[in-house]
mmCIF file of all heavy atoms in Angstrom:
data_model
loop_
_atom_site.group_PDB
_atom_site.id
_atom_site.type_symbol
_atom_site.label_atom_id
_atom_site.label_comp_id
_atom_site.label_asym_id
_atom_site.label_seq_id
_atom_site.Cartn_x
_atom_site.Cartn_y
_atom_site.Cartn_z
ATOM 1 N N GLY X 1 24.381 57.079 76.608
ATOM 2 C CA GLY X 1 23.838 58.405 76.854
ATOM 3 C C GLY X 1 23.496 58.628 78.318
ATOM 4 O O GLY X 1 23.680 59.735 78.846
ATOM 5 N N LYS X 2 22.994 57.596 78.990
ATOM 6 C CA LYS X 2 22.733 57.710 80.427
ATOM 7 C C LYS X 2 24.021 57.943 81.203
ATOM 8 O O LYS X 2 24.078 58.765 82.122
ATOM 9 C CB LYS X 2 22.035 56.440 80.934
ATOM 10 C CG LYS X 2 20.610 56.261 80.463
ATOM 11 C CD LYS X 2 19.992 55.017 81.083
ATOM 12 C CE LYS X 2 18.535 54.857 80.705
ATOM 13 N NZ LYS X 2 17.903 53.711 81.401
ATOM 14 N N ILE X 3 25.059 57.204 80.844
ATOM 15 C CA ILE X 3 26.348 57.370 81.517
ATOM 16 C C ILE X 3 26.859 58.795 81.317
ATOM 17 O O ILE X 3 27.331 59.448 82.263
ATOM 18 C CB ILE X 3 27.365 56.341 80.981
ATOM 19 C CG1 ILE X 3 26.911 54.920 81.316
ATOM 20 C CG2 ILE X 3 28.754 56.612 81.544
ATOM 21 C CD1 ILE X 3 27.703 53.823 80.608
ATOM 22 N N ALA X 4 26.757 59.286 80.083
ATOM 23 C CA ALA X 4 27.218 60.644 79.797
ATOM 24 C C ALA X 4 26.417 61.679 80.573
ATOM 25 O O ALA X 4 26.974 62.635 81.133
ATOM 26 C CB ALA X 4 27.132 60.906 78.296
ATOM 27 N N ALA X 5 25.093 61.495 80.625
ATOM 28 C CA ALA X 5 24.242 62.453 81.334
ATOM 29 C C ALA X 5 24.551 62.492 82.818
ATOM 30 O O ALA X 5 24.519 63.557 83.450
ATOM 31 C CB ALA X 5 22.776 62.105 81.102
ATOM 32 N N ALA X 6 24.866 61.343 83.400
ATOM 33 C CA ALA X 6 25.106 61.269 84.836
ATOM 34 C C ALA X 6 26.506 61.719 85.229
ATOM 35 O O ALA X 6 26.722 62.154 86.375
ATOM 36 C CB ALA X 6 24.868 59.844 85.328
ATOM 37 N N THR X 7 27.462 61.618 84.330
ATOM 38 C CA THR X 7 28.864 61.854 84.698
ATOM 39 C C THR X 7 29.484 63.077 84.038
ATOM 40 O O THR X 7 30.572 63.506 84.451
ATOM 41 C CB THR X 7 29.727 60.633 84.328
ATOM 42 O OG1 THR X 7 29.720 60.467 82.901
ATOM 43 C CG2 THR X 7 29.200 59.370 85.004
ATOM 44 N N GLY X 8 28.862 63.614 83.011
ATOM 45 C CA GLY X 8 29.456 64.728 82.278
ATOM 46 C C GLY X 8 30.411 64.306 81.183
ATOM 47 O O GLY X 8 31.011 65.165 80.521
ATOM 48 N N ALA X 9 30.572 63.008 80.982
ATOM 49 C CA ALA X 9 31.414 62.544 79.876
ATOM 50 C C ALA X 9 30.770 62.931 78.544
ATOM 51 O O ALA X 9 29.559 63.148 78.453
ATOM 52 C CB ALA X 9 31.600 61.030 79.949
ATOM 53 N N VAL X 10 31.600 63.014 77.507
ATOM 54 C CA VAL X 10 31.125 63.380 76.171
ATOM 55 C C VAL X 10 31.278 62.177 75.252
ATOM 56 O O VAL X 10 32.304 61.493 75.252
ATOM 57 C CB VAL X 10 31.902 64.587 75.619
ATOM 58 C CG1 VAL X 10 31.464 64.914 74.193
ATOM 59 C CG2 VAL X 10 31.705 65.802 76.519
ATOM 60 N N LEU X 11 30.236 61.903 74.471
ATOM 61 C CA LEU X 11 30.218 60.747 73.574
ATOM 62 C C LEU X 11 30.756 61.120 72.195
ATOM 63 O O LEU X 11 30.376 62.135 71.612
ATOM 64 C CB LEU X 11 28.799 60.206 73.421
ATOM 65 C CG LEU X 11 28.083 59.743 74.689
ATOM 66 C CD1 LEU X 11 26.683 59.246 74.339
ATOM 67 C CD2 LEU X 11 28.864 58.648 75.390
ATOM 68 N N PHE X 12 31.620 60.238 71.662
ATOM 69 C CA PHE X 12 32.135 60.360 70.309
ATOM 70 C C PHE X 12 31.934 59.032 69.588
ATOM 71 O O PHE X 12 31.941 57.968 70.214
ATOM 72 C CB PHE X 12 33.629 60.701 70.299
ATOM 73 C CG PHE X 12 33.955 62.116 70.684
ATOM 74 C CD1 PHE X 12 34.157 62.459 72.015
ATOM 75 C CD2 PHE X 12 34.057 63.116 69.721
ATOM 76 C CE1 PHE X 12 34.462 63.763 72.380
ATOM 77 C CE2 PHE X 12 34.353 64.411 70.073
ATOM 78 C CZ PHE X 12 34.563 64.747 71.410
ATOM 79 N N SER X 13 31.811 59.103 68.268
ATOM 80 C CA SER X 13 31.713 57.891 67.458
ATOM 81 C C SER X 13 32.901 57.800 66.524
ATOM 82 O O SER X 13 33.382 58.815 66.002
ATOM 83 C CB SER X 13 30.416 57.873 66.643
ATOM 84 O OG SER X 13 30.403 58.931 65.694
ATOM 85 N N GLN X 14 33.375 56.560 66.314
ATOM 86 C CA GLN X 14 34.358 56.297 65.278
ATOM 87 C C GLN X 14 33.646 55.669 64.078
ATOM 88 O O GLN X 14 32.587 55.060 64.212
ATOM 89 C CB GLN X 14 35.435 55.334 65.781
ATOM 90 C CG GLN X 14 36.323 55.888 66.875
ATOM 91 C CD GLN X 14 37.635 55.138 66.949
ATOM 92 O OE1 GLN X 14 38.440 55.207 66.035
ATOM 93 N NE2 GLN X 14 37.852 54.432 68.044
ATOM 94 N N GLN X 15 34.289 55.781 62.914
ATOM 95 C CA GLN X 15 33.726 55.181 61.707
ATOM 96 C C GLN X 15 33.536 53.681 61.930
ATOM 97 O O GLN X 15 34.451 52.990 62.374
ATOM 98 C CB GLN X 15 34.669 55.421 60.540
ATOM 99 C CG GLN X 15 34.060 55.147 59.184
ATOM 100 C CD GLN X 15 34.997 55.553 58.068
ATOM 101 O OE1 GLN X 15 36.131 55.114 58.025
ATOM 102 N NE2 GLN X 15 34.529 56.392 57.165
ATOM 103 N N SER X 16 32.334 53.180 61.627
ATOM 104 C CA SER X 16 31.985 51.811 61.978
ATOM 105 C C SER X 16 31.107 51.173 60.919
ATOM 106 O O SER X 16 30.664 51.820 59.975
ATOM 107 C CB SER X 16 31.262 51.783 63.331
ATOM 108 O OG SER X 16 32.140 52.121 64.379
ATOM 109 N N ASP X 17 30.819 49.890 61.153
ATOM 110 C CA ASP X 17 30.026 49.127 60.204
ATOM 111 C C ASP X 17 28.618 49.677 60.057
ATOM 112 O O ASP X 17 28.102 49.814 58.954
ATOM 113 C CB ASP X 17 29.991 47.650 60.612
ATOM 114 C CG ASP X 17 29.364 47.421 61.978
ATOM 115 O OD1 ASP X 17 29.449 48.323 62.836
ATOM 116 O OD2 ASP X 17 28.801 46.337 62.200
ATOM 117 N N ARG X 18 27.985 49.998 61.182
ATOM 118 C CA ARG X 18 26.582 50.404 61.154
ATOM 119 C C ARG X 18 26.286 51.279 62.359
ATOM 120 O O ARG X 18 26.499 50.871 63.500
ATOM 121 C CB ARG X 18 25.695 49.167 61.162
ATOM 122 C CG ARG X 18 24.196 49.434 61.252
ATOM 123 C CD ARG X 18 23.472 48.107 61.178
ATOM 124 N NE ARG X 18 22.132 48.141 61.721
ATOM 125 C CZ ARG X 18 21.455 47.074 62.121
ATOM 126 N NH1 ARG X 18 22.022 45.878 62.026
ATOM 127 N NH2 ARG X 18 20.234 47.170 62.594
ATOM 128 N N HIS X 19 25.810 52.478 62.105
ATOM 129 C CA HIS X 19 25.498 53.446 63.153
ATOM 130 C C HIS X 19 24.011 53.760 63.057
ATOM 131 O O HIS X 19 23.543 54.252 62.021
ATOM 132 C CB HIS X 19 26.341 54.706 62.953
ATOM 133 C CG HIS X 19 26.147 55.749 64.003
ATOM 134 N ND1 HIS X 19 26.828 56.952 63.998
ATOM 135 C CD2 HIS X 19 25.355 55.792 65.108
ATOM 136 C CE1 HIS X 19 26.463 57.678 65.040
ATOM 137 N NE2 HIS X 19 25.556 56.993 65.722
ATOM 138 N N GLU X 20 23.265 53.472 64.117
ATOM 139 C CA GLU X 20 21.839 53.781 64.159
ATOM 140 C C GLU X 20 21.695 55.205 64.685
ATOM 141 O O GLU X 20 21.901 55.468 65.866
ATOM 142 C CB GLU X 20 21.096 52.769 65.040
ATOM 143 C CG GLU X 20 21.135 51.359 64.456
ATOM 144 C CD GLU X 20 20.363 50.348 65.269
ATOM 145 O OE1 GLU X 20 19.948 50.671 66.402
ATOM 146 O OE2 GLU X 20 20.167 49.218 64.779
ATOM 147 N N ARG X 21 21.353 56.110 63.780
ATOM 148 C CA ARG X 21 21.373 57.521 64.138
ATOM 149 C C ARG X 21 20.074 58.197 63.699
ATOM 150 O O ARG X 21 19.204 57.578 63.114
ATOM 151 C CB ARG X 21 22.588 58.214 63.512
ATOM 152 C CG ARG X 21 22.600 58.239 61.998
ATOM 153 C CD ARG X 21 23.888 58.836 61.440
ATOM 154 N NE ARG X 21 23.761 59.098 60.010
ATOM 155 C CZ ARG X 21 24.715 59.623 59.257
ATOM 156 N NH1 ARG X 21 25.890 59.914 59.777
ATOM 157 N NH2 ARG X 21 24.510 59.831 57.963
ATOM 158 N N GLY X 22 19.954 59.476 64.011
ATOM 159 C CA GLY X 22 18.767 60.234 63.653
ATOM 160 C C GLY X 22 17.980 60.663 64.870
ATOM 161 O O GLY X 22 18.393 60.475 66.025
ATOM 162 N N ALA X 23 16.802 61.241 64.623
ATOM 163 C CA ALA X 23 15.969 61.784 65.692
ATOM 164 C C ALA X 23 15.515 60.677 66.640
ATOM 165 O O ALA X 23 15.245 59.545 66.222
ATOM 166 C CB ALA X 23 14.758 62.494 65.097
ATOM 167 N N GLY X 24 15.445 61.001 67.920
ATOM 168 C CA GLY X 24 15.027 60.041 68.937
ATOM 169 C C GLY X 24 16.137 59.139 69.414
ATOM 170 O O GLY X 24 15.945 58.338 70.326
ATOM 171 N N ARG X 25 17.316 59.258 68.814
ATOM 172 C CA ARG X 25 18.470 58.476 69.235
ATOM 173 C C ARG X 25 19.484 59.391 69.920
ATOM 174 O O ARG X 25 19.404 60.610 69.833
ATOM 175 C CB ARG X 25 19.069 57.749 68.032
ATOM 176 C CG ARG X 25 18.120 56.642 67.558
ATOM 177 C CD ARG X 25 18.531 55.985 66.279
ATOM 178 N NE ARG X 25 17.650 54.841 65.993
ATOM 179 C CZ ARG X 25 17.569 54.242 64.826
ATOM 180 N NH1 ARG X 25 18.319 54.662 63.807
ATOM 181 N NH2 ARG X 25 16.756 53.217 64.649
ATOM 182 N N VAL X 26 20.426 58.794 70.589
ATOM 183 C CA VAL X 26 21.314 59.564 71.457
ATOM 184 C C VAL X 26 22.249 60.441 70.629
ATOM 185 O O VAL X 26 22.835 59.996 69.636
ATOM 186 C CB VAL X 26 22.117 58.613 72.366
ATOM 187 C CG1 VAL X 26 23.245 59.339 73.082
ATOM 188 C CG2 VAL X 26 21.175 57.967 73.380
ATOM 189 N N ALA X 27 22.382 61.679 71.079
ATOM 190 C CA ALA X 27 23.280 62.625 70.429
ATOM 191 C C ALA X 27 24.731 62.206 70.658
ATOM 192 O O ALA X 27 25.131 61.865 71.776
ATOM 193 C CB ALA X 27 23.040 64.030 70.973
ATOM 194 N N ILE X 28 25.529 62.228 69.599
ATOM 195 C CA ILE X 28 26.928 61.810 69.679
ATOM 196 C C ILE X 28 27.715 62.565 68.622
ATOM 197 O O ILE X 28 27.215 62.869 67.545
ATOM 198 C CB ILE X 28 27.047 60.279 69.500
ATOM 199 C CG1 ILE X 28 28.465 59.781 69.767
ATOM 200 C CG2 ILE X 28 26.548 59.834 68.142
ATOM 201 C CD1 ILE X 28 28.556 58.258 69.886
ATOM 202 N N ARG X 29 28.959 62.881 68.945
ATOM 203 C CA ARG X 29 29.814 63.620 68.016
ATOM 204 C C ARG X 29 30.715 62.657 67.260
ATOM 205 O O ARG X 29 31.355 61.811 67.876
ATOM 206 C CB ARG X 29 30.701 64.615 68.778
ATOM 207 C CG ARG X 29 29.979 65.566 69.696
ATOM 208 C CD ARG X 29 30.990 66.441 70.422
ATOM 209 N NE ARG X 29 30.380 67.237 71.472
ATOM 210 C CZ ARG X 29 31.043 68.055 72.296
ATOM 211 N NH1 ARG X 29 32.366 68.176 72.154
ATOM 212 N NH2 ARG X 29 30.415 68.729 73.230
ATOM 213 N N PRO X 30 30.811 62.775 65.956
ATOM 214 C CA PRO X 30 31.774 61.944 65.230
ATOM 215 C C PRO X 30 33.196 62.469 65.432
ATOM 216 O O PRO X 30 33.410 63.685 65.504
ATOM 217 C CB PRO X 30 31.337 62.081 63.770
ATOM 218 C CG PRO X 30 30.669 63.420 63.710
ATOM 219 C CD PRO X 30 30.003 63.630 65.052
ATOM 220 N N VAL X 31 34.150 61.560 65.536
ATOM 221 C CA VAL X 31 35.556 61.971 65.472
ATOM 222 C C VAL X 31 35.806 62.408 64.027
ATOM 223 O O VAL X 31 35.631 61.617 63.100
ATOM 224 C CB VAL X 31 36.500 60.819 65.857
ATOM 225 C CG1 VAL X 31 37.954 61.235 65.659
ATOM 226 C CG2 VAL X 31 36.259 60.394 67.307
ATOM 227 N N PRO X 32 36.200 63.653 63.785
ATOM 228 C CA PRO X 32 36.332 64.132 62.398
ATOM 229 C C PRO X 32 37.377 63.346 61.615
ATOM 230 O O PRO X 32 38.357 62.836 62.175
ATOM 231 C CB PRO X 32 36.762 65.598 62.569
ATOM 232 C CG PRO X 32 36.332 65.975 63.954
ATOM 233 C CD PRO X 32 36.467 64.724 64.766
ATOM 234 N N TYR X 33 37.176 63.263 60.297
ATOM 235 C CA TYR X 33 38.145 62.606 59.420
ATOM 236 C C TYR X 33 39.432 63.412 59.274
ATOM 237 O O TYR X 33 40.521 62.867 59.420
ATOM 238 C CB TYR X 33 37.514 62.330 58.052
ATOM 239 C CG TYR X 33 38.505 61.893 56.994
ATOM 240 C CD1 TYR X 33 38.921 60.568 56.913
ATOM 241 C CD2 TYR X 33 39.033 62.814 56.086
ATOM 242 C CE1 TYR X 33 39.831 60.165 55.943
ATOM 243 C CE2 TYR X 33 39.946 62.411 55.120
ATOM 244 C CZ TYR X 33 40.341 61.091 55.052
ATOM 245 O OH TYR X 33 41.252 60.706 54.106
ATOM 246 N N PRO X 34 39.384 64.730 58.976
ATOM 247 C CA PRO X 34 40.639 65.487 58.842
ATOM 248 C C PRO X 34 41.407 65.485 60.160
ATOM 249 O O PRO X 34 40.855 65.774 61.229
ATOM 250 C CB PRO X 34 40.167 66.892 58.457
ATOM 251 C CG PRO X 34 38.791 66.698 57.890
ATOM 252 C CD PRO X 34 38.214 65.570 58.673
ATOM 253 N N VAL X 35 42.683 65.165 60.093
ATOM 254 C CA VAL X 35 43.443 64.934 61.316
ATOM 255 C C VAL X 35 43.507 66.185 62.192
ATOM 256 O O VAL X 35 43.402 66.093 63.429
ATOM 257 C CB VAL X 35 44.851 64.388 60.980
ATOM 258 C CG1 VAL X 35 45.635 65.360 60.114
ATOM 259 C CG2 VAL X 35 45.621 64.063 62.244
ATOM 260 N N GLY X 36 43.655 67.346 61.584
ATOM 261 C CA GLY X 36 43.710 68.566 62.385
ATOM 262 C C GLY X 36 42.425 68.806 63.149
ATOM 263 O O GLY X 36 42.454 69.207 64.329
ATOM 264 N N MET X 37 41.297 68.567 62.501
ATOM 265 C CA MET X 37 40.003 68.735 63.168
ATOM 266 C C MET X 37 39.818 67.697 64.269
ATOM 267 O O MET X 37 39.248 67.989 65.335
ATOM 268 C CB MET X 37 38.877 68.634 62.144
ATOM 269 C CG MET X 37 38.850 69.775 61.142
ATOM 270 S SD MET X 37 37.597 69.533 59.838
ATOM 271 C CE MET X 37 36.093 69.572 60.818
ATOM 272 N N ALA X 38 40.293 66.458 64.036
ATOM 273 C CA ALA X 38 40.180 65.418 65.060
ATOM 274 C C ALA X 38 41.000 65.776 66.289
ATOM 275 O O ALA X 38 40.554 65.625 67.438
ATOM 276 C CB ALA X 38 40.625 64.078 64.490
ATOM 277 N N VAL X 39 42.226 66.240 66.072
ATOM 278 C CA VAL X 39 43.074 66.638 67.191
ATOM 279 C C VAL X 39 42.416 67.757 67.988
ATOM 280 O O VAL X 39 42.385 67.730 69.230
ATOM 281 C CB VAL X 39 44.462 67.065 66.669
ATOM 282 C CG1 VAL X 39 45.271 67.758 67.766
ATOM 283 C CG2 VAL X 39 45.226 65.860 66.137
ATOM 284 N N ALA X 40 41.863 68.748 67.294
ATOM 285 C CA ALA X 40 41.211 69.864 67.984
ATOM 286 C C ALA X 40 39.975 69.406 68.753
ATOM 287 O O ALA X 40 39.725 69.850 69.878
ATOM 288 C CB ALA X 40 40.839 70.940 66.968
ATOM 289 N N ALA X 41 39.198 68.483 68.176
ATOM 290 C CA ALA X 41 37.965 68.021 68.823
ATOM 291 C C ALA X 41 38.238 67.263 70.108
ATOM 292 O O ALA X 41 37.408 67.266 71.027
ATOM 293 C CB ALA X 41 37.176 67.141 67.860
ATOM 294 N N LEU X 42 39.393 66.605 70.194
ATOM 295 C CA LEU X 42 39.697 65.760 71.356
ATOM 296 C C LEU X 42 40.731 66.372 72.292
ATOM 297 O O LEU X 42 41.118 65.737 73.289
ATOM 298 C CB LEU X 42 40.191 64.392 70.874
ATOM 299 C CG LEU X 42 39.173 63.577 70.058
ATOM 300 C CD1 LEU X 42 39.849 62.397 69.386
ATOM 301 C CD2 LEU X 42 38.038 63.083 70.963
ATOM 302 N N ALA X 43 41.162 67.590 72.018
ATOM 303 C CA ALA X 43 42.309 68.170 72.725
ATOM 304 C C ALA X 43 42.095 68.324 74.229
ATOM 305 O O ALA X 43 43.054 68.245 75.002
ATOM 306 C CB ALA X 43 42.658 69.528 72.107
ATOM 307 N N GLU X 44 40.878 68.546 74.668
ATOM 308 C CA GLU X 44 40.643 68.862 76.078
ATOM 309 C C GLU X 44 40.533 67.645 76.984
ATOM 310 O O GLU X 44 40.535 67.781 78.207
ATOM 311 C CB GLU X 44 39.358 69.677 76.213
ATOM 312 C CG GLU X 44 38.095 68.891 75.878
ATOM 313 C CD GLU X 44 36.827 69.723 76.005
ATOM 314 O OE1 GLU X 44 36.448 70.358 75.001
ATOM 315 O OE2 GLU X 44 36.242 69.733 77.100
ATOM 316 N N TYR X 45 40.483 66.440 76.433
ATOM 317 C CA TYR X 45 40.129 65.280 77.251
ATOM 318 C C TYR X 45 41.356 64.662 77.918
ATOM 319 O O TYR X 45 42.445 64.577 77.341
ATOM 320 C CB TYR X 45 39.374 64.246 76.411
ATOM 321 C CG TYR X 45 38.066 64.830 75.930
ATOM 322 C CD1 TYR X 45 37.931 65.327 74.638
ATOM 323 C CD2 TYR X 45 36.994 64.970 76.808
ATOM 324 C CE1 TYR X 45 36.757 65.908 74.220
ATOM 325 C CE2 TYR X 45 35.814 65.555 76.404
ATOM 326 C CZ TYR X 45 35.696 66.036 75.109
ATOM 327 O OH TYR X 45 34.533 66.628 74.712
ATOM 328 N N GLU X 46 41.134 64.255 79.179
ATOM 329 C CA GLU X 46 42.200 63.656 79.983
ATOM 330 C C GLU X 46 42.125 62.133 80.007
ATOM 331 O O GLU X 46 43.123 61.462 80.262
ATOM 332 C CB GLU X 46 42.122 64.196 81.413
ATOM 333 C CG GLU X 46 42.284 65.701 81.508
ATOM 334 C CD GLU X 46 41.897 66.226 82.884
ATOM 335 O OE1 GLU X 46 40.674 66.429 83.118
ATOM 336 O OE2 GLU X 46 42.805 66.407 83.712
ATOM 337 N N VAL X 47 40.929 61.587 79.754
ATOM 338 C CA VAL X 47 40.721 60.139 79.725
ATOM 339 C C VAL X 47 39.821 59.814 78.540
ATOM 340 O O VAL X 47 38.828 60.511 78.301
ATOM 341 C CB VAL X 47 40.074 59.612 81.022
ATOM 342 C CG1 VAL X 47 39.901 58.084 80.954
ATOM 343 C CG2 VAL X 47 40.884 59.995 82.251
ATOM 344 N N ALA X 48 40.167 58.766 77.816
ATOM 345 C CA ALA X 48 39.308 58.268 76.735
ATOM 346 C C ALA X 48 38.935 56.826 77.043
ATOM 347 O O ALA X 48 39.819 55.980 77.236
ATOM 348 C CB ALA X 48 40.009 58.352 75.394
#
């Protein structure tokens, strides 16, 4: 989250074993499961 705040990068999460989430934790966008939504969510990025 610090890196994102300082650089303008956007954070995404992939499906994983354990995600510590909720209030007080860093905001992050999930990569959507439906392929069309995933493509649309990531369409603008030049580097991953």
Side-chain angles (χ1 to χ4, degrees):
K2 290 183 176 185
I3 296 169
T7 64
V10 177
L11 301 180
F12 286 88
S13 64
Q14 293 202 67
Q15 194 174 55
S16 291
D17 61 331
R18 175 177 159 200
H19 182 180
E20 295 182 349
R21 64 185 192 180
R25 290 173 173 165
V26 169
I28 188 168
R29 306 177 189 177
V31 175
Y33 169 82
V35 60
M37 293 174 64
V39 168
L42 297 168
E44 68 181 89
Y45 297 100
E46 300 167 278
V47 181

